[in-house]
Amino acid sequence: MASRTVAKDIITLRGSAAIVSEFFGYAANSILYNRGVYPEESFAKVKKYGLPMLLTQDEGVKSFISNLTAQLSEWLEAGKLQRVVMVIMSKAANEVLERWNFSIETDSDVVEKGVSREKSDREIMREIQAIMRQIASSITYLPCLDEPCVFDVLAYTDTDVPVPFTWIESDPKLIANPQMVKLHSFDTKIHKVDTLVSYKNDEWDEQ
């Protein structure tokens, strides 16, 4: 029994990349659902991280997120991914309303020397749970999105990474004078993910 427990707690670079990329997939679905980017009826409930989670049933979005997580996993395993940003924009004006920013720190020793790290699976799940709960409660601290919206995902990689043919170079889609809310982070001991959401400051708030 003891050896089985130890084996479960060993985190490899590939295993960590899988945990983090899978997190991004579920986080993206949760943001799209909780921010009302797609209709409620287009999501189905599943259980993940010990929580009820919602996954899109829209085939186009499912394919986009699946391809996204596969590419992120590849970059994470190579130690080349610095940040992922999910951007929510107004459909009519293409104005950026929210930026969900996930910053990634990678243990360079693991990438360069192939060593592993140790951390309880349960502890990682608890940390991810805390972020997912904050995303689910985002309606309590973010302005209501009362117009049709679209989303995009930006990936910040090391400069020596070639741009995949399904991706294009992009501007950072920043928000002028944004309000910011820092969310929880999680750490696999190989990849640490810090989460921050910035959003457009309603003009009437400043008057």
Side-chain angles (χ1 to χ4, degrees), residues 103-126:
S103 298
I104 299 141
E105 291 177 29
T106 304
D107 184 331
S108 57
D109 277 356
V110 175
V111 177
E112 292 164 11
K113 300 174 184 174
V115 296
S116 56
R117 296 284 185 248
E118 288 188 19
K119 184 167 182 176
S120 155
D121 289 349
R122 186 173 292 180
E123 192 178 348
I124 294 170
M125 187 179 80
R126 277 201 303 265

Side-chain angles (χ1 to χ4, degrees), residues 7-20:
K8 182 183 175 185
D9 291 343
I10 291 173
I11 308 289
T12 63
L13 179 57
R14 177 168 291 181
S16 178
I19 291 168
V20 176

Side-chain angles (χ1 to χ4, degrees), residues 71-90:
Q71 182 59 71
L72 295 182
S73 184
E74 184 181 314
W75 283 331
L76 285 160
E77 202 171 332
K80 301 291 187 182
L81 188 62
Q82 301 171 5
R83 189 185 316 168
V84 177
V85 181
M86 188 168 192
V87 181
I88 298 178
M89 301 167 286
S90 64

Side-chain angles (χ1 to χ4, degrees), residues 87-97 147-148 150-151 173:
V87 181
I88 298 178
M89 301 167 286
S90 64
K91 189 172 185 177
N94 223 33
E95 180 186 17
V96 178
L97 304 175
E147 59 183 308
V150 293
F151 79 99
K173 301 186 188 298

Side-chain angles (χ1 to χ4, degrees), residues 5 23 26 48 58-60 82 90 133 146 162 167 176-177 181 191 206:
T5 304
F23 159 80
Y26 279 92
K48 182 70 177 176
D58 181 293
E59 289 302 328
Q82 301 171 5
S90 64
R133 285 195 173 104
D146 53 5
W167 291 66
N177 303 312
V181 179
H191 297 105
E206 300 171 0

Side-chain angles (χ1 to χ4, degrees), residues 26 28-46 53-58 61 65:
Y26 279 92
N29 273 278
S30 187
I31 292 165
L32 294 176
Y33 174 81
N34 286 288
R35 303 307 293 141
V37 179
Y38 289 90
E40 187 176 339
E41 59 271 19
S42 67
F43 291 82
K45 190 175 286 188
V46 298
M53 301 291 296
L54 287 130
L55 295 180
T56 181
Q57 299 305 294
D58 181 293
V61 182
I65 292 176

